[in-house]
mmCIF file of all heavy atoms in Angstrom:
data_model
loop_
_atom_site.group_PDB
_atom_site.id
_atom_site.type_symbol
_atom_site.label_atom_id
_atom_site.label_comp_id
_atom_site.label_asym_id
_atom_site.label_seq_id
_atom_site.Cartn_x
_atom_site.Cartn_y
_atom_site.Cartn_z
ATOM 1 N N LEU A 1 0.827 -1.215 0.000
ATOM 2 C CA LEU A 1 0.000 0.000 0.000
ATOM 3 C C LEU A 1 0.858 1.260 0.000
ATOM 4 O O LEU A 1 0.577 2.225 -0.712
ATOM 5 C CB LEU A 1 -0.917 0.010 1.219
ATOM 6 C CG LEU A 1 -2.329 -0.542 1.049
ATOM 7 C CD1 LEU A 1 -3.056 -0.491 2.377
ATOM 8 C CD2 LEU A 1 -3.115 0.241 0.011
ATOM 9 N N LEU A 2 1.913 1.258 0.807
ATOM 10 C CA LEU A 2 2.771 2.437 0.893
ATOM 11 C C LEU A 2 3.524 2.664 -0.416
ATOM 12 O O LEU A 2 3.762 3.814 -0.808
ATOM 13 C CB LEU A 2 3.744 2.283 2.058
ATOM 14 C CG LEU A 2 3.105 2.337 3.448
ATOM 15 C CD1 LEU A 2 4.116 1.977 4.524
ATOM 16 C CD2 LEU A 2 2.523 3.722 3.718
ATOM 17 N N GLU A 3 3.883 1.595 -1.093
ATOM 18 C CA GLU A 3 4.525 1.743 -2.402
ATOM 19 C C GLU A 3 3.554 2.330 -3.416
ATOM 20 O O GLU A 3 3.941 3.153 -4.254
ATOM 21 C CB GLU A 3 5.059 0.384 -2.878
ATOM 22 C CG GLU A 3 6.320 -0.044 -2.132
ATOM 23 C CD GLU A 3 6.728 -1.473 -2.429
ATOM 24 O OE1 GLU A 3 5.889 -2.237 -2.990
ATOM 25 O OE2 GLU A 3 7.874 -1.850 -2.101
ATOM 26 N N ARG A 4 2.283 1.944 -3.337
ATOM 27 C CA ARG A 4 1.265 2.548 -4.209
ATOM 28 C C ARG A 4 1.103 4.028 -3.901
ATOM 29 O O ARG A 4 0.987 4.853 -4.809
ATOM 30 C CB ARG A 4 -0.072 1.818 -4.036
ATOM 31 C CG ARG A 4 -0.142 0.459 -4.707
ATOM 32 C CD ARG A 4 -1.409 -0.292 -4.308
ATOM 33 N NE ARG A 4 -2.619 0.461 -4.565
ATOM 34 C CZ ARG A 4 -3.820 0.156 -4.070
ATOM 35 N NH1 ARG A 4 -3.949 -0.907 -3.266
ATOM 36 N NH2 ARG A 4 -4.882 0.888 -4.361
ATOM 37 N N ALA A 5 1.098 4.366 -2.617
ATOM 38 C CA ALA A 5 0.964 5.776 -2.233
ATOM 39 C C ALA A 5 2.149 6.581 -2.746
ATOM 40 O O ALA A 5 1.978 7.687 -3.285
ATOM 41 C CB ALA A 5 0.862 5.888 -0.709
ATOM 42 N N LYS A 6 3.346 6.043 -2.608
ATOM 43 C CA LYS A 6 4.536 6.760 -3.055
ATOM 44 C C LYS A 6 4.562 6.900 -4.582
ATOM 45 O O LYS A 6 5.046 7.903 -5.120
ATOM 46 C CB LYS A 6 5.798 6.067 -2.572
ATOM 47 C CG LYS A 6 7.075 6.876 -2.827
ATOM 48 C CD LYS A 6 8.274 6.237 -2.171
ATOM 49 C CE LYS A 6 9.504 7.138 -2.361
ATOM 50 N NZ LYS A 6 9.861 7.327 -3.774
ATOM 51 N N ALA A 7 4.032 5.904 -5.302
ATOM 52 C CA ALA A 7 3.967 6.012 -6.758
ATOM 53 C C ALA A 7 3.064 7.172 -7.173
ATOM 54 O O ALA A 7 3.312 7.850 -8.172
ATOM 55 C CB ALA A 7 3.469 4.702 -7.359
ATOM 56 N N LEU A 8 2.016 7.418 -6.386
ATOM 57 C CA LEU A 8 1.100 8.519 -6.678
ATOM 58 C C LEU A 8 1.649 9.872 -6.230
ATOM 59 O O LEU A 8 1.316 10.897 -6.810
ATOM 60 C CB LEU A 8 -0.253 8.262 -5.997
ATOM 61 C CG LEU A 8 -1.089 7.142 -6.613
ATOM 62 C CD1 LEU A 8 -2.187 6.695 -5.646
ATOM 63 C CD2 LEU A 8 -1.700 7.584 -7.937
ATOM 64 N N ASP A 9 2.488 9.858 -5.208
ATOM 65 C CA ASP A 9 3.065 11.108 -4.693
ATOM 66 C C ASP A 9 4.559 10.860 -4.451
ATOM 67 O O ASP A 9 5.018 10.739 -3.309
ATOM 68 C CB ASP A 9 2.354 11.482 -3.394
ATOM 69 C CG ASP A 9 2.497 12.963 -3.059
ATOM 70 O OD1 ASP A 9 3.176 13.668 -3.806
ATOM 71 O OD2 ASP A 9 1.923 13.398 -2.044
ATOM 72 N N PRO A 10 5.340 10.758 -5.528
ATOM 73 C CA PRO A 10 6.700 10.207 -5.429
ATOM 74 C C PRO A 10 7.683 11.040 -4.621
ATOM 75 O O PRO A 10 8.689 10.509 -4.156
ATOM 76 C CB PRO A 10 7.149 10.118 -6.893
ATOM 77 C CG PRO A 10 6.270 11.057 -7.640
ATOM 78 C CD PRO A 10 4.967 11.054 -6.918
ATOM 79 N N ASN A 11 7.433 12.330 -4.434
ATOM 80 C CA ASN A 11 8.363 13.166 -3.673
ATOM 81 C C ASN A 11 7.902 13.411 -2.242
ATOM 82 O O ASN A 11 8.416 14.306 -1.568
ATOM 83 C CB ASN A 11 8.560 14.511 -4.377
ATOM 84 C CG ASN A 11 9.281 14.355 -5.699
ATOM 85 O OD1 ASN A 11 10.054 13.415 -5.871
ATOM 86 N ND2 ASN A 11 9.020 15.242 -6.640
ATOM 87 N N ASN A 12 6.938 12.637 -1.776
ATOM 88 C CA ASN A 12 6.414 12.811 -0.426
ATOM 89 C C ASN A 12 7.358 12.132 0.568
ATOM 90 O O ASN A 12 7.458 10.900 0.608
ATOM 91 C CB ASN A 12 5.008 12.207 -0.336
ATOM 92 C CG ASN A 12 4.297 12.583 0.942
ATOM 93 O OD1 ASN A 12 4.875 12.527 2.021
ATOM 94 N ND2 ASN A 12 3.035 12.960 0.836
ATOM 95 N N ASP A 13 8.042 12.927 1.375
ATOM 96 C CA ASP A 13 9.051 12.386 2.282
ATOM 97 C C ASP A 13 8.448 11.544 3.395
ATOM 98 O O ASP A 13 9.121 10.660 3.948
ATOM 99 C CB ASP A 13 9.893 13.509 2.879
ATOM 100 C CG ASP A 13 10.853 14.116 1.862
ATOM 101 O OD1 ASP A 13 11.252 13.391 0.939
ATOM 102 O OD2 ASP A 13 11.182 15.309 1.976
ATOM 103 N N LEU A 14 7.195 11.803 3.763
ATOM 104 C CA LEU A 14 6.555 10.973 4.780
ATOM 105 C C LEU A 14 6.426 9.544 4.273
ATOM 106 O O LEU A 14 6.672 8.585 5.017
ATOM 107 C CB LEU A 14 5.185 11.534 5.152
ATOM 108 C CG LEU A 14 4.388 10.712 6.158
ATOM 109 C CD1 LEU A 14 5.134 10.566 7.478
ATOM 110 C CD2 LEU A 14 3.009 11.319 6.396
ATOM 111 N N TYR A 15 6.039 9.381 3.002
ATOM 112 C CA TYR A 15 5.931 8.041 2.440
ATOM 113 C C TYR A 15 7.310 7.378 2.351
ATOM 114 O O TYR A 15 7.461 6.182 2.595
ATOM 115 C CB TYR A 15 5.283 8.086 1.058
ATOM 116 C CG TYR A 15 3.879 8.666 1.040
ATOM 117 C CD1 TYR A 15 3.262 9.011 -0.156
ATOM 118 C CD2 TYR A 15 3.173 8.883 2.216
ATOM 119 C CE1 TYR A 15 1.983 9.552 -0.180
ATOM 120 C CE2 TYR A 15 1.909 9.425 2.205
ATOM 121 C CZ TYR A 15 1.310 9.766 1.007
ATOM 122 O OH TYR A 15 0.045 10.298 0.997
ATOM 123 N N ARG A 16 8.319 8.165 1.987
ATOM 124 C CA ARG A 16 9.698 7.650 1.971
ATOM 125 C C ARG A 16 10.080 7.113 3.344
ATOM 126 O O ARG A 16 10.649 6.020 3.461
ATOM 127 C CB ARG A 16 10.684 8.759 1.601
ATOM 128 C CG ARG A 16 10.842 9.083 0.145
ATOM 129 C CD ARG A 16 11.839 10.223 -0.033
ATOM 130 N NE ARG A 16 13.160 9.882 0.423
ATOM 131 C CZ ARG A 16 14.098 10.778 0.766
ATOM 132 N NH1 ARG A 16 13.821 12.079 0.717
ATOM 133 N NH2 ARG A 16 15.297 10.378 1.149
ATOM 134 N N LEU A 17 9.776 7.887 4.382
ATOM 135 C CA LEU A 17 10.140 7.492 5.738
ATOM 136 C C LEU A 17 9.406 6.230 6.159
ATOM 137 O O LEU A 17 10.008 5.304 6.721
ATOM 138 C CB LEU A 17 9.840 8.636 6.710
ATOM 139 C CG LEU A 17 10.065 8.325 8.192
ATOM 140 C CD1 LEU A 17 11.506 7.936 8.456
ATOM 141 C CD2 LEU A 17 9.665 9.527 9.054
ATOM 142 N N MET A 18 8.101 6.172 5.909
ATOM 143 C CA MET A 18 7.328 5.003 6.315
ATOM 144 C C MET A 18 7.806 3.749 5.592
ATOM 145 O O MET A 18 7.906 2.669 6.188
ATOM 146 C CB MET A 18 5.840 5.243 6.060
ATOM 147 C CG MET A 18 5.237 6.320 6.951
ATOM 148 S SD MET A 18 3.457 6.546 6.703
ATOM 149 C CE MET A 18 2.827 5.022 7.434
ATOM 150 N N LEU A 19 8.124 3.881 4.309
ATOM 151 C CA LEU A 19 8.633 2.735 3.550
ATOM 152 C C LEU A 19 9.980 2.282 4.085
ATOM 153 O O LEU A 19 10.220 1.071 4.251
ATOM 154 C CB LEU A 19 8.746 3.090 2.072
ATOM 155 C CG LEU A 19 7.472 2.977 1.243
ATOM 156 C CD1 LEU A 19 7.643 3.648 -0.120
ATOM 157 C CD2 LEU A 19 7.070 1.514 1.054
ATOM 158 N N ALA A 20 10.878 3.228 4.340
ATOM 159 C CA ALA A 20 12.207 2.869 4.837
ATOM 160 C C ALA A 20 12.125 2.243 6.222
ATOM 161 O O ALA A 20 12.817 1.261 6.522
ATOM 162 C CB ALA A 20 13.110 4.102 4.858
ATOM 163 N N ARG A 21 11.266 2.801 7.072
ATOM 164 C CA ARG A 21 11.129 2.256 8.432
ATOM 165 C C ARG A 21 10.575 0.835 8.405
ATOM 166 O O ARG A 21 11.051 -0.052 9.110
ATOM 167 C CB ARG A 21 10.219 3.166 9.265
ATOM 168 C CG ARG A 21 10.195 2.821 10.750
ATOM 169 C CD ARG A 21 9.078 3.556 11.453
ATOM 170 N NE ARG A 21 7.796 3.027 11.068
ATOM 171 C CZ ARG A 21 7.239 1.921 11.599
ATOM 172 N NH1 ARG A 21 7.893 1.235 12.508
ATOM 173 N NH2 ARG A 21 6.050 1.519 11.216
ATOM 174 N N LEU A 22 9.560 0.623 7.560
ATOM 175 C CA LEU A 22 8.970 -0.706 7.471
ATOM 176 C C LEU A 22 9.945 -1.688 6.829
ATOM 177 O O LEU A 22 10.047 -2.843 7.262
ATOM 178 C CB LEU A 22 7.673 -0.642 6.665
ATOM 179 C CG LEU A 22 6.860 -1.921 6.533
ATOM 180 C CD1 LEU A 22 6.556 -2.527 7.904
ATOM 181 C CD2 LEU A 22 5.562 -1.663 5.783
ATOM 182 N N SER A 23 10.674 -1.252 5.820
ATOM 183 C CA SER A 23 11.668 -2.119 5.191
ATOM 184 C C SER A 23 12.755 -2.497 6.188
ATOM 185 O O SER A 23 13.227 -3.637 6.203
ATOM 186 C CB SER A 23 12.291 -1.424 3.974
ATOM 187 O OG SER A 23 11.320 -1.178 2.986
ATOM 188 N N PHE A 24 13.142 -1.544 7.043
ATOM 189 C CA PHE A 24 14.142 -1.844 8.069
ATOM 190 C C PHE A 24 13.611 -2.874 9.050
ATOM 191 O O PHE A 24 14.328 -3.785 9.479
ATOM 192 C CB PHE A 24 14.539 -0.564 8.804
ATOM 193 C CG PHE A 24 15.449 -0.813 9.985
ATOM 194 C CD1 PHE A 24 16.768 -1.187 9.790
ATOM 195 C CD2 PHE A 24 14.971 -0.692 11.277
ATOM 196 C CE1 PHE A 24 17.605 -1.436 10.877
ATOM 197 C CE2 PHE A 24 15.793 -0.934 12.366
ATOM 198 C CZ PHE A 24 17.122 -1.294 12.163
ATOM 199 N N GLN A 25 12.336 -2.741 9.410
ATOM 200 C CA GLN A 25 11.726 -3.716 10.317
ATOM 201 C C GLN A 25 11.774 -5.122 9.732
ATOM 202 O O GLN A 25 11.989 -6.101 10.451
ATOM 203 C CB GLN A 25 10.271 -3.323 10.593
ATOM 204 C CG GLN A 25 9.519 -4.295 11.492
ATOM 205 C CD GLN A 25 8.077 -3.876 11.685
ATOM 206 O OE1 GLN A 25 7.800 -2.758 12.100
ATOM 207 N NE2 GLN A 25 7.144 -4.756 11.381
ATOM 208 N N LEU A 26 11.612 -5.217 8.402
ATOM 209 C CA LEU A 26 11.576 -6.521 7.755
ATOM 210 C C LEU A 26 12.960 -7.086 7.468
ATOM 211 O O LEU A 26 13.156 -8.299 7.523
ATOM 212 C CB LEU A 26 10.788 -6.425 6.441
ATOM 213 C CG LEU A 26 9.290 -6.160 6.577
ATOM 214 C CD1 LEU A 26 8.677 -5.846 5.227
ATOM 215 C CD2 LEU A 26 8.594 -7.366 7.202
ATOM 216 N N SER A 27 13.927 -6.208 7.152
ATOM 217 C CA SER A 27 15.226 -6.722 6.706
ATOM 218 C C SER A 27 16.416 -6.267 7.535
ATOM 219 O O SER A 27 17.474 -6.892 7.508
ATOM 220 C CB SER A 27 15.464 -6.328 5.243
ATOM 221 O OG SER A 27 15.461 -4.914 5.110
ATOM 222 N N GLU A 28 16.276 -5.137 8.257
ATOM 223 C CA GLU A 28 17.328 -4.628 9.144
ATOM 224 C C GLU A 28 18.653 -4.422 8.416
ATOM 225 O O GLU A 28 19.714 -4.816 8.901
ATOM 226 C CB GLU A 28 17.518 -5.575 10.341
ATOM 227 C CG GLU A 28 16.284 -5.745 11.190
ATOM 228 C CD GLU A 28 16.491 -6.691 12.352
ATOM 229 O OE1 GLU A 28 17.666 -7.019 12.638
ATOM 230 O OE2 GLU A 28 15.501 -7.101 12.963
ATOM 231 N N THR A 29 18.627 -3.789 7.258
ATOM 232 C CA THR A 29 19.853 -3.541 6.512
ATOM 233 C C THR A 29 20.287 -2.093 6.669
ATOM 234 O O THR A 29 19.492 -1.212 6.998
ATOM 235 C CB THR A 29 19.667 -3.850 5.016
ATOM 236 O OG1 THR A 29 18.752 -2.900 4.457
ATOM 237 C CG2 THR A 29 19.127 -5.260 4.801
ATOM 238 N N GLU A 30 21.569 -1.839 6.393
ATOM 239 C CA GLU A 30 22.124 -0.502 6.493
ATOM 240 C C GLU A 30 21.534 0.445 5.455
ATOM 241 O O GLU A 30 21.497 1.660 5.650
ATOM 242 C CB GLU A 30 23.646 -0.564 6.354
ATOM 243 C CG GLU A 30 24.355 -1.083 7.592
ATOM 244 C CD GLU A 30 24.113 -0.206 8.805
ATOM 245 O OE1 GLU A 30 24.185 1.036 8.674
ATOM 246 O OE2 GLU A 30 23.818 -0.741 9.884
#
């Protein structure tokens, strides 16, 4: 869902943050 939101509003930093935070939760990469 967040990737769909970011595709619609690609420069929205809140969506960037939520995606990065969730991706970190799933993979814990640098």
Side-chain angles (χ1 to χ4, degrees):
L1 266 178
L2 291 172
E3 286 171 345
R4 285 171 55 194
K6 189 172 184 298
L8 289 163
D9 201 358
N11 293 333
N12 191 315
D13 287 332
L14 177 60
Y15 300 168
R16 279 179 63 201
L17 175 60
M18 293 183 71
L19 277 167
R21 190 192 71 82
L22 184 54
S23 297
F24 173 72
Q25 178 182 305
L26 292 170
S27 60
E28 300 179 13
T29 67
E30 285 299 316

